Structures are given as C-alpha cells and as structure tokens.
Amino acid sequence: MQRRNFISHVALGAMGVSLGSSFITKKQGGSNDKIVLALIGCGGRGRDVLSGIVKENENVEVKYLCDVNETLAAIPAEIEAYAKKQGYAPKFITDMRRAFDDKDVDAAVICTPEHWHVLASVWALQAGKHVYVEKNPTLSIWEGQQLIAATKKYKKVLQIGFQNRSAPYAFSARDYIKSGKLGSIVHVKCYNLLGGSKWMPEPDTAVPAGLNWDAWQGPAKSVPYNPNRHSMTGRGGWLDFWSYGGGALSDDASHVMDLARLAMGDPGHPASVYCTGGNVGFHSQKETPEFLNITYQFPNFSMTCESGSCTPYMTKEGREVRYGSKWPYWPQNSTRIEIYGTERIMYLGRHGVGWQVMEVDGKIVDMDKGYFPDKFHQKDFIDSIRLSKAPNGDVTQGHLSASLVHLADIAYRVGNQYLEFNATTERFTNNKAANTFLKGHYRSPYIIS
C-alpha cells in the first residue's frame, strides 16, 4: 500500500492571503518584531496555549497573567521560566482591563469559560489588541455577529482556537474531497462520544477566598456560588449550565464539526436543524443534555452529529495517535468524522489523527497521517500579526462553525424541534420561540457595546 500525501501548496498559500492595506497591525515585519502578550484565564488550557505560543515563535514575551481566581497566581515555576527567558517576570492581575490599557501589550490570549469569550475579545479589540480566543468562540449567534463586526471595525488579527484549521492533513483532506476521488458527497457523520457519570446537584456555598465571583460570572445572571458551576483548582462544571457554555456539544464536538466544515469546503449555514436527545444516559438533572443526535441539511449534503458523555467504551486518542504514526480503531474513535461519497468513504480524525480512504472490504487506498496542530495554529497567530495576513482561524468561519452548536442546542431547548433557518437573516423561519435564544443574557456592567 502506497502512503500518499495530498497537501495542496496552492491551498496552503491561499490560507495566508494578505488582507491588503485596509488591514492595520501594530507589528509588521520579521521575527525580530517583539510581540507582548497578556493571558486572560490562567487555567490549565490557558497556560498551555500561552506556553505554546511563546515556544513556537521568536521574540514573544508575556507581560500579564490575568485571572479572577487569585490562587492561580501561585504558579512560580512558569513565572520563573518566563522571567528567565525574557528578563522580567509577568505580572499577575485580576482585572483584564489593566492589560488592555497597557500600550506595551500587543495581543491578548483569551482562555476563559465561553460566556466571557466575546466580551473579553471585544474589549481587547477596542483597546487595539490582537486576539487569540479559545473555542467555542461564542455563546450565541448574536455574539458571533458582534465578534465579526468588532474584528472588521478595529482591523486586528483574531485567531479562533479551532486548531485543526492549521493542520496540513486537514487541508489535504479538503483537497482530496474536492478532487472527486470520493465521488459525490452525500452524507457527513460527526461523532463526539465521550465517557461520563451522573451529574449530582450540590448546595450553594460561600464564595471561596481569593475568587471574585461577580467578575467570574461577568455577563451571566448573578447567582450564588455553587461548586457545580466553578472549581478553584480545576476546569469546573460550567459547561453543564446554559449561562456559561453549550455542554459537550460546544466542547469537543465544536472541534469535530469545524473540521468537517473545513474538509467540505466551508459551506455556509445549514438550511435546517433537527435535534433529539436529553439526559437519557444517567438521567441527570443538569441543564445541558447528556446526549444529542442532530441532523443538519446543507444544500448538497446532509450532516449529522452524535454527541454525548455516556459512552465510556469510545476512545479519545492519545499521544501515540495524535503525535505519532499509529492509526486509531475507527469504529470506537470517539471524535471521528465519516464522509460518505458515491465511490469511497473517508475517515477523518481531529487533532492530529489524520485521514484514511477505504473501498469495499476495508481496503485502504489513500491516507495522510496527521500531527497535533496546536503548534501550527499558535505559529500562525503570530505570523498573522507580523505579516498582516488573515489567520487560519478566521472569525467568519469560526462563527459559522460555532453556529452549528447554537442551532442544535436551540432545537433541543425548544423541545427537540425541527427548525428552518434563514442563512441571510440568521433567524429561524418556522419557530418564534427559537428566535428568543439567538441572543443571550447580559447584565451591567458586563455588556458588549
């Protein structure tokens, strides 16, 4: 069997096309142009993204580490490493606006919970900063509209943390499909089948020492502190609440569906969405569902997504697959994509897994092994600032991918309904109640303006 690589150099070049004279950046030139960063959200993922950006790029410094949880200031090993590398230690702050007001800061790396993503990004853009914001970038379709408008208005780079958009194997999958070697595409299946356990309610408690609970809630409705919503030492359970996130669908499934959209040539909004599911695994009483089965109708193909947290026998691949040469066992790969053509099927995996094309009897005819794409995406962010080019994680495509999450969650929240969607107006045409979910809640002073 011949191992082939279908990376299109033309397509790769197109991802870095210049935005022209209307795109204004503070830094232009080579790697000697210093870029100063501020991290907003110092949890594990935030620190990983920040360290990756510094590692993968030359002449990048960190001036601020910001979190409303003051106990996260106690990361001396990381601060010491930055101090040794750049000659001064980053400052720990609890109000992100201090970093945005500092003219030395060129870019913000935003790794907060989802309900803070857009407001923090807009504040940073208004202050003249470039932005790297983690997925899922938005909490509603309205927020996506605001993020696009702000990025265009302030003419800064905004890279969305859909890292597969910088993966060479994602581009080669797209080019292979476009070549017609799968035949006509009739259906795309996305999977996000993870393990989990029954969600149990906990009583409200006093706010832990060192946490600004009001600031953590930000634009969300103010409620008493509850350990189910927040953890002082880990990620916490905020994804289980509609006020802060979109459940399992906005977590890993958003990556899977974004990769599927890229591979299919980045179609626009679907014309309709239908969703079934609920807390059917452990019968928990949490807000976001344990399992969803979703169908989207695009102009030339249908797409489904099965997403949940009650299938422990499915496997989210480890380092030997994401970083190495090992292939997954596709039937139990928990975050795979199946692309059905009239001639062949493609299995595509996120975050470095790669893709394989099969014919009858499991015969593998083509493939491209991947590599975990964080490093490519993090380098692309700084390159985009220095070269005044569009980032791979483009805000418009990020909005379209995030909207797949919002459309499905809305269909679930209005009672597992079939919803028709107007791609131009970005409103539902057959369900008035669904339109009430297009914009979330915002409380003063945490308001986008």
Side-chain angles (χ1 to χ4, degrees):
M1 180 179 64
Q2 182 179 4
R3 184 170 184 265
R4 306 177 188 176
N5 189 313
F6 290 86
I7 299 174
S8 168
H9 296 289
V10 174
L12 285 170
M15 298 299 289
V17 64
S18 172
L19 294 181
S21 58
S22 65
F23 192 84
I24 302 171
T25 65
K26 180 178 177 181
K27 303 288 184 181
Q28 296 186 35
S31 61
N32 290 329
D33 293 322
K34 182 171 69 175
I35 303 291
V36 179
L37 304 177
L39 173 64
I40 314 301
C42 296
R45 179 58 184 167
R47 301 200 306 272
D48 285 347
V49 170
L50 182 69
S51 63
I53 292 174
V54 173
K55 178 182 177 182
E56 298 301 331
N57 298 278
E58 296 179 26
N59 206 13
V60 174
E61 297 180 358
V62 179
K63 188 168 184 180
Y64 293 102
L65 303 171
C66 177
D67 204 287
V68 295
N69 179 357
E70 294 182 13
T71 66
L72 293 178
I75 45 177
E78 294 180 36
I79 292 178
E80 182 179 339
Y82 288 125
K84 184 177 180 180
K85 179 179 178 65
Q86 62 195 32
Y88 66 92
K91 299 176 183 177
F92 185 88
I93 58 175
T94 57
D95 187 339
M96 67 183 75
R97 291 169 292 188
R98 283 187 58 190
F100 299 157
D101 288 341
D102 189 333
K103 296 187 183 302
D104 288 342
V105 174
D106 299 300
V109 179
I110 297 171
C111 298
T112 63
E114 290 169 13
H115 68 293
W116 257 110
H117 281 175
V118 172
L119 181 56
S121 295
V122 170
W123 281 357
L125 291 166
Q126 289 173 338
K129 314 304 181 188
H130 305 287
V131 173
Y132 185 110
V133 59
E134 263 299 332
K135 61 82 196 165
N136 201 20
T138 61
L139 199 59
S140 69
I141 288 175
W142 180 86
E143 282 197 343
Q145 297 165 350
Q146 306 313 301
L147 197 59
I148 290 172
T151 303
K152 290 181 178 179
K153 179 178 180 179
Y154 298 106
K155 297 181 173 62
K156 293 294 176 180
V157 169
L158 186 138
Q159 175 85 293
I160 291 174
F162 283 134
Q163 295 83 15
N164 294 292
R165 288 196 168 261
S166 291
Y169 80 89
F171 304 144
S172 67
R174 177 190 61 194
D175 295 340
Y176 190 95
I177 293 168
K178 187 177 180 180
S179 75
K181 293 179 181 179
L182 294 183
S184 298
I185 306 303
V186 296
H187 188 55
V188 178
K189 289 186 177 182
C190 299
Y191 294 90
N192 178 51
L193 299 176
L194 309 173
S197 59
K198 185 170 184 175
W199 183 92
M200 299 297 293
E202 294 191 43
D204 297 335
T205 68
V207 177
L211 175 67
N212 185 333
W213 178 234
D214 182 80
W216 187 91
Q217 294 177 95
K221 293 180 180 179
S222 181
V223 295
Y225 181 86
N226 190 287
N228 270 340
R229 296 174 182 265
H230 175 270
S231 169
M232 293 292 285
T233 57
R235 185 181 192 184
W238 52 266
L239 275 167
D240 297 326
F241 297 85
W242 294 121
S243 292
Y244 317 126
L249 199 64
S250 68
D251 195 16
D252 287 325
S254 64
H255 279 301
V256 178
M257 292 194 290
D258 176 69
L259 177 57
R261 286 193 61 254
L262 188 156
M264 290 300 297
D266 281 327
H269 287 302
S272 65
V273 58
Y274 177 60
C275 181
T276 61
N279 290 325
V280 296
F282 305 107
H283 304 288
S284 301
Q285 297 179 12
K286 67 172 184 168
E287 293 182 3
T288 60
E290 294 169 340
F291 185 82
L292 289 177
N293 188 350
I294 309 147
T295 300
Y296 305 94
Q297 185 61 55
F298 290 92
N300 299 314
F301 66 95
S302 58
M303 186 173 90
T304 59
C305 180
E306 296 173 19
S307 175
S309 53
C310 45
T311 51
Y313 42 84
M314 305 298 287
T315 303
K316 195 174 177 181
E317 303 303 337
R319 294 187 63 86
E320 68 278 10
V321 174
R322 293 187 182 189
Y323 294 88
S325 59
K326 182 179 177 181
W327 289 95
Y329 176 59
W330 289 112
Q332 287 181 275
N333 177 274
S334 61
T335 53
R336 72 189 186 275
I337 301 165
E338 298 174 0
I339 301 173
Y340 291 81
T342 54
E343 297 179 22
R344 296 168 172 171
I345 182 174
M346 173 185 284
Y347 288 93
L348 172 62
R350 61 160 215 161
H351 284 18
V353 173
W355 57 265
Q356 292 181 309
V357 172
M358 297 182 187
E359 294 181 340
V360 178
D361 298 326
K363 179 184 177 183
I364 299 173
V365 293
D366 287 311
M367 65 176 67
D368 189 9
K369 189 69 185 76
Y371 188 89
F372 195 80
D374 264 19
K375 68 175 186 177
F376 307 122
H377 208 53
Q378 292 157 358
K379 189 173 190 311
D380 179 72
F381 175 52
I382 300 300
D383 285 348
S384 297
I385 295 173
R386 287 180 169 144
L387 301 176
S388 299
K389 75 175 188 69
N392 290 345
D394 168 75
V395 64
T396 299
Q397 296 306 326
H399 167 59
L400 289 168
S401 292
S403 293
L404 294 178
V405 172
H406 307 323
L407 293 174
D409 280 339
I410 292 171
Y412 168 75
R413 295 178 74 178
V414 296
N416 283 340
Q417 296 293 309
Y418 167 79
L419 301 178
E420 296 175 351
F421 191 68
N422 185 311
T424 302
T425 63
E426 295 190 311
R427 294 183 64 81
F428 298 101
T429 59
N430 68 330
N431 192 306
K432 291 182 179 180
N435 285 319
T436 65
F437 290 100
L438 293 174
K439 180 180 179 180
H441 175 273
Y442 302 90
R443 66 185 179 101
S444 182
Y446 306 101
I447 296 174
I448 297 172
S449 60

